[in-house]
Amino acid sequence: MKLESKIPEGPIEKKWDMHRFSLKLVNPANKRKYHIIVVGTGLAGASSAASLAELGYNVTSLCYHESPRRAHSIAAQGGINAPKNYKNDGDSIWRLFYDTVKGGDYRAREANVYRLAQVSNNIIDQCVAQGVPFAREYGGLLDNRSFGGAQVSRTFYARGQTGQQLLLGAYQALCKEIDRGGVKFYARREMLDVIVIDGQARGVVARNLVDGSLESYLGDAVILATGGYGNVFYLSTNAKLSNATAIWRAHKRGAFFGNPCFTQIHPTCIPVSSEHQSKLTLMSESLRNDGRIWVPKNAGDTRDPRQIPEEERDYYLERLYPSFGNLVPRDVASRRAKEMCDKGHGVGPTGLAVYLDFSDAIKRNGKEWVAQQYGNLFDMYHEITAENAYEAPMRIYPAVHYTMGGLWVDYNLMSTIPGLYVLGEANFSDHGANRLGASALMQGLADGYFIIPYTISDYLARSNFPPIKADHPTIREAETNVRELTERLMAIKGKRTVDDFHKQLGKIMWDLCGMARNAAGLKKAAEVIPQLRQEFWKDVRVPGSVDNFNPEIEKAHRVADFFELAELIVQDAYHREESCGGHFREEFQTEDGEAKRNDDHFSYVGAWEFKGIGEKEVLHKELLAFEYVKPSQRSYK
């Protein structure tokens, strides 16, 4: 299969506008004839379902949780980017475009990134109209703050709970359409397969998580908005229920997987404290606006941080990157924190932490001001650590956070399966090798509110959709496959728990394919992961029964998928012999430890085609052309 990105011709400033004009439309009377299935109810899923229903399409919305408000989008705390230039500090659509391409280490499509920057201003207007309580300045204008990888203030925020407030806006829009009848909403459903008939995605098979029954949902197009796959590492900032099953099952049905090794390590997380820990907690990147990151200059210094004088502190990000300081991009800040700890300057009981200190901000603006800006984050830190960050510095360390890789999509957000669209973090499209802070919320809402409503109409208008009966052989085959897989998991009756296997897989991935990778470690991972996968299928124990509520079945399905996905991540990381963004190969770095790209050989999207469990996947390349932002060695000094 040849990859066709379908990037429009013409100047980059006009590509999206001209493309929208060239797309075929479905007239209002005909929209009610089409049925679209949306899997996922986070920002991308809720906004797309609501928007498509408002246009007149019939929409089925499948939610993993009992309510869309449980979606992991609420965990994106710090803000959402848009270049409105309210601060009059030099921001523009072009600057956001430039910062994002550069921040992604020149591994993203220029056309997609420019469109993202272009529609981001509309997102703010949309959300204000919905009543999202963005922070405001004294005079009533919307306030902005800075985030990593930018020298302007373009991040709109609602204290430290921006994702939650934006999700409530999308949720109320979805609820309006549910009440009107435009959206049929099904809670507690997990998609376990895609139904592909005559080469078109025509539905999904889902498990009713309450009673265990399998249900098939049929339509004319399918949208996956199911988030990322960071939990393949076991410990991550993702909610425990976040998983890759939807996109992985679609991958096995023919959807190519783009850049799976591009996983982001976030520098501002509460450090691991126990072997029994099941997840990590993110401290918003917004804290780096006013918090200063430092370690003791003397290795092994275990004194209380308040007893270490200023001259014995190393504010290493400010020292190494004077132009950006503590607001360097996440990949850079993460590697430097690891480097400091590896050299013995780490703090806390494990030595795997650095300080994030607000004492200067409190002296400058007062405790009350800091509380107004970040109070809920300080409260959360106290609840988890029993430490008061107003009185002593927070301890932070990098952790797995976001995944830039995902299902490959073209400019219209359609995968290599016709009719299967992928939105938000579930696709690979907009961030390259590293995502800038406050851009996840931006992409999810851009895809849902302002891109998919245009692009899906073109597919619907150009395609034929023969009626499908519920007893179609392909539907029966998909349901049978899911049922047999579930029964196979239940029948193993081994000795080890699903969590035990997941934890072991996560440790392998973090140690050998985590913040830093090398050829020897990746080779080892490629050997031990298949062995552990085979052991899983021989010795896992899934208690309970199939035909009722059973969270252990859910976990078993997702961990089975994580094993297969982990093999692909390692394969992709091994083949990409360069360092870029979140993919840091130790063999490829500059003299001062920065990522060293190989643009001559790896300036492409690696799109992988599934060939069977345990088989090497086939690589397809979408070459990247940079006409407007010329690749150069990234510098934040």
Side-chain angles (χ1 to χ4, degrees):
M1 177 185 290
K2 181 181 178 182
L3 292 175
E4 295 184 8
S5 60
K6 298 182 181 178
I7 297 173
E9 298 293 330
I12 198 166
E13 302 95 329
K14 298 181 179 180
K15 285 183 186 293
W16 177 233
D17 292 336
M18 295 303 295
H19 185 62
R20 284 188 296 172
F21 180 74
S22 68
L23 293 171
K24 276 188 169 292
L25 301 177
V26 178
N27 78 55
N30 285 338
K31 285 186 173 73
R32 64 178 69 100
K33 299 177 182 178
Y34 293 104
H35 189 171
I36 301 167
I37 298 167
V38 181
V39 183
T41 52
L43 283 178
S47 61
S48 60
S51 298
L52 292 168
E54 286 176 350
L55 286 171
Y57 295 108
N58 297 297
V59 176
T60 293
S61 171
L62 302 184
C63 177
Y64 185 90
H65 305 282
E66 71 278 5
S67 167
R69 290 175 296 176
R70 293 276 315 275
H72 190 59
S73 299
I74 67 168
Q77 305 153 330
I80 177 171
N81 288 329
K84 283 185 172 290
N85 196 30
Y86 285 169
K87 294 287 187 180
N88 198 29
D89 56 0
D91 203 8
S92 64
I93 292 173
W94 192 270
R95 188 175 292 278
L96 176 54
F97 160 62
Y98 173 86
D99 288 344
T100 305
V101 172
K102 177 185 175 183
D105 225 347
Y106 307 95
R107 291 295 176 263
R109 289 188 196 131
E110 283 189 328
N112 281 68
V113 176
Y114 190 88
R115 176 177 65 183
L116 178 64
Q118 188 177 359
V119 304
S120 61
N121 283 330
N122 302 88
I123 297 172
I124 305 304
D125 298 337
Q126 167 88 0
C127 294
V128 169
Q130 290 176 332
V132 173
F134 286 121
R136 294 179 180 270
E137 295 179 336
Y138 180 77
L141 297 177
L142 296 181
D143 196 12
N144 294 121
R145 56 189 178 199
S146 299
F147 256 66
Q151 291 183 302
V152 295
S153 295
R154 64 163 66 101
T155 303
F156 294 80
Y157 65 98
R159 207 179 183 189
Q161 49 185 255
T162 313
Q164 179 176 351
Q165 297 301 327
L166 292 171
L167 183 62
L168 288 173
Y171 170 68
Q172 68 183 10
L174 177 62
C175 286
K176 175 176 72 72
E177 290 305 311
I178 294 172
D179 183 66
R180 188 184 64 82
V183 174
K184 292 183 178 179
F185 176 77
Y186 297 90
R188 302 293 283 139
R189 265 68 173 185
E190 180 176 26
M191 187 201 111
L192 295 177
D193 207 350
V194 179
I195 297 170
V196 182
I197 299 176
D198 297 328
Q200 295 175 307
R202 296 298 303 273
V204 300
V205 177
R207 183 172 184 269
N208 184 320
L209 299 179
V210 176
D211 62 21
S213 62
L214 293 183
E215 303 167 348
S216 291
Y217 298 87
L218 304 177
D220 302 309
V222 176
I223 294 173
L224 300 185
T226 53
Y229 50 89
N231 275 349
V232 69
F233 291 85
Y234 187 71
L235 286 179
S236 82
T237 66
N238 287 268
K240 287 299 292 179
L241 296 182
S242 297
N243 63 84
T245 289
I247 60 173
W248 187 252
R249 302 291 171 90
H251 176 55
K252 294 170 78 169
R253 285 290 183 186
F256 289 4
F257 208 113
N259 297 335
C261 77
F262 287 169
T263 55
Q264 181 168 81
I265 313 298
H266 196 293
T268 317
C269 302
I270 297 178
V272 176
S273 61
S274 167
E275 282 291 322
H276 303 290
Q277 204 162 339
S278 62
K279 77 173 299 292
L280 297 174
T281 301
L282 171 68
M283 287 286 100
S284 170
E285 182 177 323
S286 62
L287 294 169
R288 291 200 277 148
N289 268 290
D290 294 290
R292 300 179 69 192
I293 295 172
W294 63 276
V295 294
K297 287 184 178 179
N298 299 320
D301 191 336
T302 60
R303 286 179 292 172
D304 184 299
R306 291 166 290 188
Q307 297 177 349
I308 300 176
E310 190 75 11
E311 61 272 15
E312 296 181 27
R313 301 179 179 188
D314 181 9
Y315 296 91
Y316 58 90
L317 291 179
E318 299 172 29
R319 170 172 57 84
L320 293 169
Y321 308 100
S323 293
F324 282 74
N326 297 296
L327 289 174
V328 293
R330 292 172 176 178
D331 59 324
V332 177
S334 295
R335 286 197 296 274
R336 296 289 81 83
K338 180 180 185 297
E339 180 183 54
M340 291 296 118
C341 293
D342 289 347
K343 290 180 177 179
H345 296 273
V347 301
T350 64
L352 293 177
V354 299
Y355 289 127
L356 178 60
D357 194 338
F358 273 80
S359 57
D360 285 352
I362 291 172
K363 291 177 183 175
R364 182 174 61 251
N365 297 317
K367 179 181 175 181
E368 183 179 346
W369 181 90
V370 172
Q372 288 176 345
Q373 298 289 315
Y374 311 106
N376 63 309
L377 299 174
F378 278 65
D379 293 343
M380 186 166 63
Y381 184 84
H382 180 265
E383 288 297 314
I384 293 171
T385 66
E387 298 174 9
N388 188 338
Y390 292 108
E391 298 177 358
M394 292 182 181
R395 285 177 290 109
I396 58 169
Y397 193 70
V400 172
H401 179 53
Y402 189 91
T403 50
M404 286 76 67
L407 293 186
W408 183 92
V409 293
D410 62 20
Y411 188 73
N412 293 327
L413 304 183
M414 188 161 70
S415 72
T416 48
I417 300 176
L420 180 67
Y421 291 82
V422 190
L423 276 56
E425 190 180 358
N427 74 35
F428 88 99
S429 65
D430 290 355
H431 305 296
N434 173 62
R435 178 176 68 78
L436 293 183
S439 289
L441 301 177
M442 177 173 64
Q443 187 204 350
L445 292 180
D447 288 355
Y449 281 137
F450 296 108
I451 298 175
I452 195 65
Y454 288 99
T455 60
I456 202 168
S457 68
D458 187 70
Y459 170 73
L460 296 173
R462 294 178 187 273
S463 304
N464 294 317
F465 302 99
I468 303 172
K469 294 184 179 180
D471 62 350
H472 191 285
T474 301
I475 300 173
R476 290 203 303 269
E477 181 246 345
E479 291 177 345
T480 299
N481 286 345
V482 171
R483 186 175 296 107
E484 290 178 348
L485 179 62
T486 304
E487 291 173 349
R488 181 185 170 197
L489 286 164
M490 297 294 298
I492 297 171
K493 298 191 182 304
K495 298 178 181 178
R496 296 179 59 183
T497 66
V498 175
D499 286 329
D500 191 30
F501 277 106
H502 191 184
K503 185 180 293 187
Q504 188 174 351
L505 172 64
K507 182 169 176 51
I508 293 169
M509 290 296 291
W510 176 251
D511 290 345
L512 303 179
C513 193
M515 205 179 332
R517 303 117 185 237
N518 58 57
L522 292 169
K523 281 184 178 179
K524 182 178 178 182
E527 294 172 1
V528 298
I529 292 173
Q531 294 171 4
L532 186 61
R533 172 172 52 79
Q534 292 170 7
E535 186 179 343
F536 171 85
W537 284 101
K538 292 178 181 177
D539 199 30
V540 73
R541 182 173 186 83
V542 183
S545 60
V546 175
D547 55 355
N548 57 24
F549 175 74
N550 189 346
E552 292 301 312
I553 293 178
E554 302 169 38
K555 289 196 286 187
H557 271 288
R558 75 177 67 120
V559 173
D561 293 332
F562 279 148
F563 273 112
E564 297 168 13
L565 172 58
E567 292 181 52
L568 178 58
I569 293 173
V570 169
Q571 182 181 351
D572 187 39
Y574 183 76
H575 109 276
R576 191 171 281 276
E577 295 180 332
E578 65 167 352
S579 290
C580 55
H583 169 64
F584 189 74
R585 284 282 296 269
E586 294 175 337
E587 307 95 318
F588 307 102
Q589 56 182 301
T590 63
E591 291 183 358
D592 52 357
E594 302 293 350
K596 187 175 183 180
R597 296 191 322 272
N598 185 340
D599 293 330
D600 291 338
H601 294 95
F602 294 98
S603 188
Y604 59 75
V605 177
W608 296 89
E609 180 183 4
F610 183 78
K611 287 297 182 181
I613 298 172
E615 301 293 328
K616 293 292 184 183
E617 301 211 5
V618 173
L619 174 64
H620 301 262
K621 300 178 181 178
E622 180 200 338
L623 299 181
L624 295 170
F626 294 94
E627 183 180 355
Y628 297 92
V629 183
K630 299 301 180 184
S632 60
Q633 176 64 39
R634 275 200 304 167
S635 175
Y636 294 94
K637 295 185 177 181

